[in-house]
Amino acid sequence: MVKKRACVFISGKGSNLKSIINHSRDYNFPINVSFVISNNENAKGVYFAKKFSIPHKIIKERKDKFEKIAIKELRDRKIDLICLAGFMKILSKYFIRNFNGKIINIHPSLLPKYKGLNTFQRAVEERNEWTGCTVHHVDEKIDNGKIITKKRVKIKSGENIKKLKKKVQTEEYKAYSIAIRKLYAYN
Ligand code: GRF
């Protein structure tokens, strides 16, 4: 199997990046992490790119300039798939059209519920019984594209937000790898 070339976009901790890298070491996993882009020079996740000798670039430039630099890198490196993993920057319609159908994201809620920020707090405050995470295609609206996979986590009564977040993150690692496998399952 010829593996697809993925680029992971991060802004922070990078635990999803780490998990995707670990999965990609399986010869059966459909992608290799070929490149990492961070818009934040202090992102802890950059450490994982270094640790696994994955080429990476920190692009501190703002919107248009960021995207111009990123698009050139992605084209030069023949990237097939962009995985957003804790990437805290909104991509323009122009960028998304350039990589139509090739950008996926992980969001910490059961979409279409709780798009945007503070998803755990909102789920707890509104007394939801379940929350979780969703991997979805990225389209021009925020947290809106076609859903690839979801994982559910039960909310206990009096649940602590930090603990809940941790439980959901564990499910995120599974969800992201399932979603990537699913994308290429019939190719
Ligand atoms: C994850 O919870 C993800 O759902 C959200 O940002 C967080 C990133 O965590 N989009 P990490 O940087 O992968 O540890």
Side-chain angles (χ1 to χ4, degrees), residues 13-16 86 106-108 169 172:
K13 197 166 65 144
S15 64
N16 278 284
I106 184 142
H107 181 74
Q169 275 230 309
E172 287 188 354

